[in-house]
Amino acid sequence: NKVFSSSFASRLNNYGTINLNTLDFFQPPYESSETCLINFPGSTFNYDISSASTGDFPIPSNAYYNLNINANADCDQNFSVLENWSNVSTFTSSSSGNVILFSGTTPQNFSGNGINNFKNIVLNNSNGITLSSGEINIQETMESLSGTFTQNGAEIKLLSNTDNFSGIIKVNSSSDYSYLSGNFVSQRYFNASSDGWRMISSPIQNVSLNEVDDEFPFCGIIPVTSGTVSYTHLRAHETSLHLVCRL
Protein backbone atom coordinates (compact mmCIF):
# COMPACT_ATOMS: atom_id res chain seq x y z
CA ASN A 1 0.00 0.00 0.00
CA LYS A 2 2.85 2.43 0.62
CA VAL A 3 6.30 3.12 -0.75
CA PHE A 4 8.67 5.22 1.35
CA SER A 5 11.73 6.41 -0.49
CA SER A 6 13.93 8.93 1.28
CA SER A 7 16.42 9.19 -1.58
CA PHE A 8 16.13 9.89 -5.30
CA ALA A 9 18.45 6.90 -5.75
CA SER A 10 15.75 4.55 -4.41
CA ARG A 11 13.47 3.52 -7.25
CA LEU A 12 10.35 1.44 -7.73
CA ASN A 13 10.77 -0.40 -11.03
CA ASN A 14 7.43 -1.70 -12.29
CA TYR A 15 7.77 -4.76 -14.53
CA GLY A 16 4.44 -6.27 -13.45
CA THR A 17 1.30 -4.79 -11.86
CA ILE A 18 0.94 -2.11 -9.20
CA ASN A 19 -2.40 -1.52 -7.46
CA LEU A 20 -2.60 1.93 -5.92
CA ASN A 21 -4.78 1.59 -2.80
CA THR A 22 -3.81 4.67 -0.79
CA LEU A 23 -3.28 8.33 -1.69
CA ASP A 24 -0.08 8.56 0.36
CA PHE A 25 1.58 5.90 -1.77
CA PHE A 26 4.11 8.58 -2.76
CA GLN A 27 4.00 11.53 -0.39
CA PRO A 28 6.42 14.08 1.10
CA PRO A 29 8.62 14.12 3.10
CA TYR A 30 9.48 11.08 1.02
CA GLU A 31 10.34 11.16 -2.66
CA SER A 32 7.50 11.72 -5.16
CA SER A 33 6.24 9.37 -7.87
CA GLU A 34 8.09 11.49 -10.45
CA THR A 35 11.33 10.53 -8.72
CA CYS A 36 10.58 6.96 -7.64
CA LEU A 37 8.26 5.30 -10.14
CA ILE A 38 9.60 3.85 -13.38
CA ASN A 39 7.36 1.67 -15.56
CA PHE A 40 8.65 -0.86 -18.08
CA PRO A 41 7.10 -2.41 -21.24
CA GLY A 42 4.13 -4.66 -20.47
CA SER A 43 3.64 -3.24 -16.98
CA THR A 44 0.24 -2.25 -15.58
CA PHE A 45 -0.76 0.45 -13.11
CA ASN A 46 -4.20 0.19 -11.48
CA TYR A 47 -5.49 3.39 -9.90
CA ASP A 48 -7.95 2.06 -7.29
CA ILE A 49 -8.65 4.94 -4.88
CA SER A 50 -10.41 8.24 -5.62
CA SER A 51 -8.55 11.54 -5.57
CA ALA A 52 -9.11 13.67 -2.49
CA SER A 53 -7.91 16.93 -4.05
CA THR A 54 -6.66 18.42 -7.31
CA GLY A 55 -3.53 16.75 -8.60
CA ASP A 56 -3.59 13.59 -6.49
CA PHE A 57 -2.97 11.43 -9.53
CA PRO A 58 0.65 10.11 -9.51
CA ILE A 59 2.97 10.93 -12.41
CA PRO A 60 5.75 8.42 -13.22
CA SER A 61 9.27 9.51 -14.04
CA ASN A 62 8.91 8.12 -17.57
CA ALA A 63 5.42 7.05 -18.69
CA TYR A 64 2.62 4.59 -18.11
CA TYR A 65 2.38 1.50 -20.28
CA ASN A 66 -1.03 -0.03 -19.40
CA LEU A 67 -3.08 2.34 -17.24
CA ASN A 68 -6.35 1.21 -15.64
CA ILE A 69 -8.39 3.89 -13.85
CA ASN A 70 -10.87 2.27 -11.45
CA ALA A 71 -11.71 5.28 -9.25
CA ASN A 72 -12.22 9.02 -9.72
CA ALA A 73 -8.88 10.59 -10.69
CA ASP A 74 -7.78 14.23 -10.79
CA CYS A 75 -4.58 15.11 -12.63
CA ASP A 76 -3.06 18.59 -13.07
CA GLN A 77 0.07 17.53 -14.99
CA ASN A 78 1.11 16.00 -18.32
CA PHE A 79 1.99 12.34 -18.82
CA SER A 80 2.39 9.72 -21.55
CA VAL A 81 0.74 6.34 -22.17
CA LEU A 82 2.72 3.84 -24.23
CA GLU A 83 0.28 0.92 -24.46
CA ASN A 84 -3.40 0.84 -23.42
CA TRP A 85 -5.79 3.08 -21.46
CA SER A 86 -8.86 1.80 -19.59
CA ASN A 87 -11.18 3.94 -17.46
CA VAL A 88 -14.31 2.68 -15.70
CA SER A 89 -14.71 5.76 -13.48
CA THR A 90 -14.02 9.48 -14.09
CA PHE A 91 -10.66 10.93 -15.08
CA THR A 92 -10.22 14.72 -15.17
CA SER A 93 -7.36 16.86 -16.46
CA SER A 94 -7.85 19.80 -14.15
CA SER A 95 -5.37 22.42 -15.40
CA SER A 96 -5.52 24.38 -18.65
CA GLY A 97 -2.97 23.13 -21.15
CA ASN A 98 -2.71 19.62 -19.65
CA VAL A 99 -1.65 17.04 -22.27
CA ILE A 100 -2.15 13.28 -22.24
CA LEU A 101 0.20 11.89 -24.89
CA PHE A 102 -0.36 8.50 -26.54
CA SER A 103 3.06 7.73 -27.96
CA GLY A 104 3.48 3.97 -28.17
CA THR A 105 5.20 1.96 -30.88
CA THR A 106 2.41 -0.64 -31.32
CA PRO A 107 -1.36 -0.16 -31.87
CA GLN A 108 -2.94 1.33 -28.75
CA ASN A 109 -6.45 0.89 -27.38
CA PHE A 110 -8.69 3.25 -25.39
CA SER A 111 -11.46 1.41 -23.52
CA GLY A 112 -13.71 1.33 -20.45
CA ASN A 113 -17.18 2.78 -19.87
CA GLY A 114 -15.92 5.76 -17.83
CA ILE A 115 -15.89 9.51 -18.41
CA ASN A 116 -12.65 11.09 -19.65
CA ASN A 117 -12.42 14.87 -19.24
CA PHE A 118 -9.37 16.00 -21.19
CA LYS A 119 -7.90 19.37 -21.90
CA ASN A 120 -5.63 18.00 -24.67
CA ILE A 121 -4.96 14.50 -25.95
CA VAL A 122 -2.19 14.05 -28.49
CA LEU A 123 -1.45 11.00 -30.63
CA ASN A 124 2.14 10.46 -31.74
CA ASN A 125 2.10 6.80 -32.78
CA SER A 126 2.22 5.79 -36.45
CA ASN A 127 0.31 2.60 -35.52
CA GLY A 128 -2.63 4.66 -34.25
CA ILE A 129 -5.11 4.25 -31.43
CA THR A 130 -8.61 2.72 -31.36
CA LEU A 131 -11.20 4.54 -29.25
CA SER A 132 -13.41 1.57 -28.49
CA SER A 133 -15.61 2.77 -25.60
CA GLY A 134 -16.19 5.43 -22.99
CA GLU A 135 -17.03 9.14 -23.11
CA ILE A 136 -14.17 11.38 -24.27
CA ASN A 137 -14.71 15.08 -23.59
CA ILE A 138 -12.29 17.53 -25.20
CA GLN A 139 -12.06 21.11 -23.89
CA GLU A 140 -9.07 22.23 -25.97
CA THR A 141 -7.62 19.90 -28.65
CA MET A 142 -7.61 16.33 -29.84
CA GLU A 143 -4.54 16.25 -32.06
CA SER A 144 -2.67 13.75 -34.22
CA LEU A 145 1.01 14.40 -34.76
CA SER A 146 1.38 10.90 -36.22
CA GLY A 147 -1.08 8.04 -36.62
CA THR A 148 -4.85 7.63 -36.88
CA PHE A 149 -7.58 8.07 -34.30
CA THR A 150 -10.09 5.28 -35.01
CA GLN A 151 -13.46 5.92 -33.37
CA ASN A 152 -15.07 2.50 -32.95
CA GLY A 153 -17.66 2.76 -30.20
CA ALA A 154 -16.47 5.65 -28.03
CA GLU A 155 -18.45 8.88 -27.70
CA ILE A 156 -16.45 11.97 -28.65
CA LYS A 157 -17.57 15.41 -27.46
CA LEU A 158 -15.88 18.65 -28.48
CA LEU A 159 -17.01 20.78 -25.55
CA SER A 160 -17.99 24.43 -25.80
CA ASN A 161 -20.41 25.18 -22.99
CA THR A 162 -18.93 28.50 -21.88
CA ASP A 163 -17.08 31.35 -23.54
CA ASN A 164 -13.80 30.03 -22.15
CA PHE A 165 -13.15 26.99 -24.33
CA SER A 166 -14.11 25.42 -27.61
CA GLY A 167 -12.78 21.91 -28.31
CA ILE A 168 -11.43 21.09 -31.75
CA ILE A 169 -9.80 18.19 -33.59
CA LYS A 170 -6.50 18.98 -35.27
CA VAL A 171 -5.15 16.56 -37.90
CA ASN A 172 -2.68 16.74 -40.75
CA SER A 173 -5.02 15.00 -43.20
CA SER A 174 -8.45 13.38 -43.26
CA SER A 175 -6.81 9.93 -43.00
CA ASP A 176 -5.72 10.77 -39.44
CA TYR A 177 -9.31 10.32 -38.25
CA SER A 178 -11.32 7.20 -39.05
CA TYR A 179 -14.95 6.87 -37.97
CA LEU A 180 -16.47 3.40 -37.62
CA SER A 181 -19.07 3.75 -34.86
CA GLY A 182 -20.08 5.79 -31.82
CA ASN A 183 -21.54 9.25 -31.28
CA PHE A 184 -19.65 12.38 -32.28
CA VAL A 185 -20.84 15.70 -30.82
CA SER A 186 -19.41 19.09 -31.76
CA GLN A 187 -20.63 21.86 -29.49
CA ARG A 188 -20.30 25.55 -30.29
CA TYR A 189 -21.43 27.94 -27.60
CA PHE A 190 -23.02 31.33 -28.20
CA ASN A 191 -24.16 33.75 -25.54
CA ALA A 192 -27.59 34.66 -26.86
CA SER A 193 -27.82 37.83 -24.78
CA SER A 194 -24.82 39.39 -26.53
CA ASP A 195 -24.37 37.45 -29.76
CA GLY A 196 -27.90 36.80 -30.90
CA TRP A 197 -28.86 34.55 -33.84
CA ARG A 198 -26.45 33.37 -36.56
CA MET A 199 -27.44 32.93 -40.18
CA ILE A 200 -25.19 30.41 -41.88
CA SER A 201 -26.92 30.25 -45.26
CA SER A 202 -29.75 31.75 -47.28
CA PRO A 203 -33.22 30.73 -46.06
CA ILE A 204 -34.43 30.84 -49.67
CA GLN A 205 -31.84 29.03 -51.76
CA ASN A 206 -31.53 25.31 -51.22
CA VAL A 207 -28.16 24.68 -49.52
CA SER A 208 -26.78 21.29 -48.52
CA LEU A 209 -24.75 20.67 -45.38
CA ASN A 210 -21.75 19.85 -47.58
CA GLU A 211 -21.93 23.30 -49.14
CA VAL A 212 -22.19 24.95 -45.74
CA ASP A 213 -19.29 22.86 -44.42
CA ASP A 214 -17.20 23.95 -47.40
CA GLU A 215 -17.58 27.58 -46.38
CA PHE A 216 -17.33 27.32 -42.61
CA PRO A 217 -15.56 25.10 -40.02
CA PHE A 218 -19.04 23.69 -39.49
CA CYS A 219 -18.29 20.33 -37.86
CA GLY A 220 -15.32 21.41 -35.78
CA ILE A 221 -12.90 19.08 -37.61
CA ILE A 222 -10.36 21.21 -39.41
CA PRO A 223 -7.37 19.74 -41.25
CA VAL A 224 -4.33 21.80 -40.39
CA THR A 225 -0.99 21.37 -42.12
CA SER A 226 1.01 23.93 -40.16
CA GLY A 227 0.79 26.36 -37.29
CA THR A 228 -1.41 26.23 -34.23
CA VAL A 229 -5.16 26.65 -34.21
CA SER A 230 -6.56 27.77 -30.85
CA TYR A 231 -10.15 28.09 -29.78
CA THR A 232 -9.86 31.87 -30.13
CA HIS A 233 -8.89 31.43 -33.81
CA LEU A 234 -11.78 29.08 -34.40
CA ARG A 235 -14.29 31.29 -32.62
CA ALA A 236 -13.47 34.11 -35.03
CA HIS A 237 -14.86 31.98 -37.86
CA GLU A 238 -17.21 29.51 -36.20
CA THR A 239 -20.80 29.08 -37.23
CA SER A 240 -21.61 25.62 -35.87
CA LEU A 241 -24.87 25.45 -33.95
CA HIS A 242 -26.37 23.02 -31.46
CA LEU A 243 -29.42 22.60 -33.69
CA VAL A 244 -29.32 22.14 -37.46
CA CYS A 245 -32.53 22.28 -39.50
CA ARG A 246 -32.80 20.89 -43.00
CA LEU A 247 -33.86 23.58 -45.43
Side-chain angles (χ1 to χ4, degrees), residues 56-76:
D56 278 339
F57 193 80
I59 306 298
S61 61
N62 58 343
Y64 286 110
Y65 281 83
N66 295 293
L67 176 60
N68 298 323
I69 299 170
N70 304 314
N72 293 343
D74 187 292
C75 182
D76 61 357

Side-chain angles (χ1 to χ4, degrees), residues 80-209:
S80 298
V81 178
L82 301 177
E83 291 182 12
N84 298 319
W85 170 291
S86 174
N87 176 20
V88 298
S89 190
T90 299
F91 175 88
T92 299
S93 289
S94 54
S95 294
S96 178
N98 279 164
V99 175
I100 309 301
L101 175 65
F102 293 89
S103 54
T105 57
T106 59
Q108 294 180 260
N109 190 55
F110 191 109
S111 64
N113 60 0
I115 298 172
N116 305 274
N117 298 314
F118 294 125
K119 294 295 190 292
N120 302 279
I121 60 172
V122 176
L123 175 63
N124 191 15
N125 179 353
S126 60
N127 292 288
I129 186 170
T130 298
L131 310 172
S132 57
S133 60
E135 180 179 316
I136 302 173
N137 299 316
I138 306 296
Q139 283 192 2
E140 295 177 17
T141 62
M142 180 176 180
E143 180 178 4
S144 172
L145 298 177
S146 172
T148 300
F149 286 108
T150 299
Q151 184 183 351
N152 190 19
E155 180 175 276
I156 311 296
K157 290 184 179 180
L158 304 181
L159 299 183
S160 181
N161 54 16
T162 73
D163 272 327
N164 297 323
F165 57 79
S166 189
I168 64 173
I169 289 183
K170 183 178 178 181
V171 293
N172 293 314
S173 68
S174 59
S175 63
D176 288 341
Y177 197 98
S178 173
Y179 173 83
L180 298 177
S181 66
N183 293 331
F184 187 99
V185 178
S186 177
Q187 299 177 353
R188 284 297 175 265
Y189 174 83
F190 291 107
N191 185 333
S193 63
S194 60
D195 296 324
W197 290 91
R198 290 331 193 245
M199 180 177 291
I200 59 174
S201 62
S202 168
I204 299 175
Q205 180 181 351
N206 186 29
V207 178
S208 72
L209 291 181

